[in-house]
Amino acid sequence: MWNVLLSFSGLVALIQLLFLPFFPESPPYLLLQKEDKAGCLKAMKQLWGEGNYHTEFDDLMKEKAITKGTKIMSVLEVLRERSVYPQLCTMLLLLLSLQLCGLKIFRTANLQENIIPYVSLGVSISELISIIFCSSIIDRFGRRMLLCGGYLLMALILVLLEMSLLLSDQFLWLRYCSVILIFLFIIAYGVGP
């Protein structure tokens, strides 16, 4: 029944999609993107009731004044911008490595086929926990420290993972270390990058 469990996220997305039309647009979107002051104030009133939201509105007006000359780029314009290529390549490599590394290692560890979906679910849960943990410590350590530490930790884990995969035929217990290292890699990715 693991496929039913994984399809639960689709059910949640469908519920969100059905209720989305009943919610107002984001006030920052209305003011900064659409330049609709009345719509922004109406959305704030709908979201926060009759309370005092004028401080937030004033902050949005200041942000609008600061970003007045800034052009908002579409996705295609961002992809054509050469200055973001290193960041895009790094992000794509990370995402591809995350997608491709797990299942192969789970099979290499000789896990039973019916257990692999649960282990994959465990990886997703550990990613969620690490992202929650990151959001609670990011103010204390800062983004730069978390990024650098996360990348260094990920590199170390990948080296250990490669060694455990190379030696897993000689030492059977290293196969299970590979699975643990995948969990640690996902956690390091969630806390850092």
Side-chain angles (χ1 to χ4, degrees), residues 118 120-130 183:
Y118 297 109
S120 296
L121 182 63
V123 167
S124 299
I125 291 171
S126 66
E127 184 176 2
L128 177 66
I129 290 169
S130 66
F183 276 88

Side-chain angles (χ1 to χ4, degrees), residues 47-141:
L47 288 170
W48 293 321
E50 295 294 330
N52 187 8
Y53 47 83
H54 295 289
T55 306
E56 288 84 4
F57 183 75
D58 291 339
D59 290 341
L60 284 176
M61 290 301 289
K62 290 176 189 172
E63 185 177 341
K64 182 181 178 187
I66 291 170
T67 60
K68 189 171 186 172
T70 307
K71 180 183 181 262
I72 298 170
M73 299 172 73
S74 70
V75 174
L76 288 175
E77 290 172 329
V78 170
L79 291 175
R80 289 185 192 131
E81 183 66 37
R82 290 196 175 274
S83 64
V84 298
Y85 283 175
Q87 294 91 339
L88 282 174
C89 290
T90 303
M91 189 173 58
L92 286 175
L93 285 173
L94 274 173
L95 291 174
L96 287 174
S97 67
L98 282 176
Q99 294 298 319
L100 299 176
C101 68
L103 293 176
K104 172 79 171 131
I105 292 171
F106 297 153
R107 288 197 174 99
T108 304
N110 284 337
L111 293 176
Q112 297 173 357
E113 287 290 324
N114 60 347
I115 293 177
I116 291 177
Y118 297 109
V119 175
S120 296
L121 182 63
V123 167
S124 299
I125 291 171
S126 66
E127 184 176 2
L128 177 66
I129 290 169
S130 66
I131 290 171
I132 291 170
F133 179 68
C134 174
S135 64
S136 66
I137 64 170
I138 195 167
D139 290 333
R140 179 179 295 160
F141 295 105

Side-chain angles (χ1 to χ4, degrees), residues 164-180:
S164 71
L165 289 175
L166 289 174
L167 299 173
S168 65
D169 291 333
Q170 296 170 353
F171 306 101
L172 294 177
W173 58 272
L174 280 176
R175 293 178 178 179
Y176 297 102
C177 286
S178 302
V179 175
I180 292 169

Side-chain angles (χ1 to χ4, degrees), residues 20-60:
L20 193 62
F22 300 106
F23 290 101
E25 286 284 348
S26 164
Y29 170 76
L30 288 171
L31 185 65
L32 301 175
Q33 307 276 326
K34 296 278 191 172
E35 298 185 7
D36 182 9
K37 273 187 186 180
C40 176
L41 287 169
K42 181 181 174 187
M44 285 180 157
K45 184 177 180 181
Q46 188 175 355
L47 288 170
W48 293 321
E50 295 294 330
N52 187 8
Y53 47 83
H54 295 289
T55 306
E56 288 84 4
F57 183 75
D58 291 339
D59 290 341
L60 284 176

